[in-house]
Amino acid sequence: MGESQGDLLPTDVPESTSSNIAKRFNSSAHASRGSGIPGVKKRGLSSRSWIKIDQDGNSKVLELDKARIMRHCSLPSRDLRLLDPLFIYPSTILGREKAIVVNLEQIRCIITAEEVILMNSLDRNVVQYNSELCKRLQAKKDQADDLPFEFRALELALELTCMSLDVKVRELEMEIYPVLDELASSINTLNLERVRRLKGQLLTLTQRVQKVRDELEHLMDDDGDMAEMHLTEKKLRSEGNTPTELNAQNEIFSGTGVVSKSAPVSPIASTNGAPRLQRAFSSIVPSKQGSLISSHDGENIEQLEMLLEAYFVVIDHTLSKLLSLKEYIDDTEDLINIKLGNVQNHLIQFELLLTAATFVATLFAAVTGVFGMNLQASIFDYPSAFTWVLVITDRMVGLVTQTIPAN
């Protein structure tokens, strides 16, 4: 990483060179203002603050532009847009040729085989990721670890993301359960508005957790993506020193450990015995090299798959808690609908009772109106006629009241 750091870090430039560069930059800036060319100002404003963490756990803050990061990590510009804080993208983990692009909630970083380039932010998760990764790398500096550097950096990002989402779920549970219990006992506009707001937060949080879960599931289902994320192995292969090749070379060219002492050695072959021995074994080693490399890739894929599966279980448990909370909300809504339906039935019965009472009063008013008219009628000649009118009206009222259902 020594040569690549020279291209990446502007702080490694000598003071005299940096002063000359600063003078040229100031002069070019004044010239650009005078000429009215906006391209130079936009290129200067594209630099952002990043945190670089190396394998030894040392971190430093750098000002890097997009072009320099693209050249250093061999990334297209569309991958860097995932790390842009001005845009909101769902959680994504992308394996590229020389880097892993990680966009998990607030943790946005680029992981290579030798360093982590983290988007500088004052967010609690970013600060915790920086301090915790440096602490772990410094603690394991003198200890053997089966995980390569990029997997350890990715593991910490997944761990902090899962922990952050789980904390938000617990906070939402502590807030929404008392509101739902209060709403079940007292249905009013204030409680309904609080539940509506909390239900919106639940939907948003469920989508975020679901996206992280789907991304982990997608990675575990694709062996090619997991093999692409093993950056240390690809770096060793590009240098021509894969672990299998190193083992084969150590076994073949280990000196006296391979060639028997009793074997005759010709004086001609003694001067260039290693090249001839390498050509002699070249027909044997390549035939088995493919199977050795494929088996080693299988171990790497299995190693990463176990890592992803562990956090897949954690995020799946968090998602199950959100689904349980949603079911509790749905059950509360069903209970409220039942109570509202019961109240509506009581209102309908009361309305029918009022309608029947109005009809009875209307009957008596009609009889009173008929007999109160100043008309000549023979019914007035019979004294018992008034009794029959009351009996008939009472029977009609009884028929009307029988049609009303009991409460």
Side-chain angles (χ1 to χ4, degrees):
M1 189 61 200
E3 298 179 357
S4 61
Q5 286 180 354
D7 298 333
L8 179 64
L9 306 181
T11 56
D12 295 339
V13 183
E15 294 182 356
S16 60
T17 307
S18 61
S19 61
N20 295 331
I21 293 175
K23 293 178 181 179
R24 293 177 184 176
F25 178 77
N26 293 329
S27 62
S28 62
H30 288 294
S32 62
R33 294 192 191 99
S35 60
I37 300 176
V40 179
K41 292 181 68 178
K42 290 183 179 180
R43 189 178 300 111
L45 292 174
S46 63
S47 298
R48 288 193 176 91
S49 179
W50 300 81
I51 301 175
K52 174 183 170 296
I53 306 173
D54 57 11
Q55 291 180 336
D56 296 331
N58 302 319
S59 65
K60 61 176 65 176
V61 180
L62 306 175
E63 293 291 334
L64 303 175
D65 57 357
K66 184 183 295 185
R68 182 172 295 181
I69 296 177
M70 290 169 57
R71 290 194 305 266
H72 179 71
C73 302
S74 300
L75 293 175
S77 59
R78 65 177 180 271
D79 291 343
L80 291 182
R81 292 193 188 98
L82 298 175
L83 309 180
D84 197 336
L86 300 179
F87 300 98
I88 300 176
Y89 289 97
S91 298
T92 308
I93 301 175
L94 300 176
R96 294 297 184 247
E97 181 65 26
K98 294 183 179 180
I100 301 174
V101 181
V102 178
N103 178 18
L104 293 175
E105 296 295 322
Q106 301 299 326
I107 300 177
R108 302 181 179 186
C109 62
I110 302 173
I111 302 174
T112 64
E114 298 176 346
E115 62 189 5
V116 175
I117 304 176
L118 178 67
M119 178 72 70
N120 192 7
S121 174
L122 297 178
D123 186 78
R124 180 177 59 87
N125 293 329
V126 176
V127 176
Q128 186 177 2
Y129 180 83
N130 181 19
S131 60
E132 186 67 22
L133 182 60
C134 294
K135 186 185 301 183
R136 292 186 181 184
L137 292 176
Q138 292 174 1
K140 295 182 179 180
K141 186 184 301 183
D142 300 331
Q143 300 177 3
D145 193 359
D146 55 346
L147 286 178
F149 172 77
E150 62 271 15
F151 288 176
R152 281 185 284 172
L154 179 61
E155 180 184 9
L156 181 59
L158 292 172
E159 178 181 349
L160 294 181
T161 301
C162 294
M163 289 175 56
S164 175
L165 292 175
D166 189 68
V167 168
K168 292 179 180 179
V169 171
R170 289 201 300 267
E171 292 176 353
L172 187 60
E173 286 179 344
M174 295 175 61
E175 186 177 2
I176 202 170
Y177 277 122
V179 176
L180 291 175
D181 295 338
E182 185 178 356
L183 179 61
S185 59
S186 175
I187 303 173
N188 52 41
T189 306
L190 180 60
N191 291 335
L192 288 174
E193 180 63 25
R194 293 172 62 187
V195 172
R196 186 193 64 83
R197 178 179 56 84
L198 293 174
K199 190 174 181 180
Q201 296 180 5
L202 174 64
L203 179 61
T204 304
L205 187 58
T206 302
Q207 292 177 351
R208 292 164 58 184
V209 174
Q210 182 70 44
K211 182 57 183 176
V212 176
R213 180 187 179 278
D214 293 341
E215 188 66 23
L216 294 180
E217 186 178 7
H218 172 71
L219 289 176
M220 289 190 298
D221 292 339
D222 196 339
D223 293 343
D225 289 345
M226 288 191 291
E228 193 74 17
M229 295 171 64
H230 203 289
L231 304 178
T232 303
E233 177 69 16
K234 290 193 294 184
K235 179 185 176 183
L236 293 176
R237 287 184 182 179
S238 64
E239 296 175 355
N241 294 323
T242 63
T244 54
E245 291 177 350
L246 290 176
N247 293 333
Q249 291 178 4
N250 290 332
E251 292 177 358
I252 295 174
F253 304 107
S254 59
T256 58
V258 174
V259 183
S260 176
K261 294 182 179 180
S262 61
V265 180
S266 63
I268 300 176
S270 61
T271 57
N272 54 355
R276 292 189 179 184
L277 186 60
Q278 184 177 3
R279 290 194 299 269
F281 282 95
S282 62
S283 59
I284 301 175
V285 175
S287 61
K288 298 182 180 180
Q289 186 175 0
S291 61
L292 291 174
I293 293 177
S294 61
S295 63
H296 189 73
D297 288 341
E299 294 177 358
N300 295 333
I301 292 174
E302 184 179 358
Q303 189 179 33
L304 179 58
E305 186 176 6
M306 293 175 61
L307 174 64
L308 296 176
E309 186 177 0
Y311 291 98
F312 177 80
V313 173
V314 176
I315 201 68
D316 187 69
H317 178 66
T318 304
L319 182 60
S320 64
K321 291 195 294 185
L322 288 174
L323 295 179
S324 300
L325 186 58
K326 184 178 182 299
E327 291 179 357
Y328 190 80
I329 294 177
D330 294 338
D331 295 340
T332 305
E333 290 179 351
D334 294 338
L335 178 61
I336 292 173
N337 291 329
I338 292 173
K339 288 186 175 182
L340 292 177
N342 189 21
V343 173
Q344 186 178 7
N345 291 333
H346 284 287
L347 291 176
I348 292 173
Q349 292 177 1
F350 183 70
E351 183 181 3
L352 291 175
L353 181 61
L354 289 178
T355 303
T358 305
F359 181 71
V360 170
T362 304
L363 287 177
F364 282 100
V367 172
T368 305
V370 170
F371 285 95
M373 292 182 181
N374 190 10
L375 299 174
Q376 293 291 333
S378 60
I379 194 173
F380 294 108
D381 297 335
Y382 300 97
S384 61
F386 183 71
T387 304
W388 286 105
V389 170
L390 292 179
V391 171
I392 294 172
T393 306
D394 182 67
R395 295 301 298 171
M396 293 178 65
V397 172
L399 292 174
V400 172
T401 55
Q402 287 177 3
T403 57
I404 299 176
N407 293 331

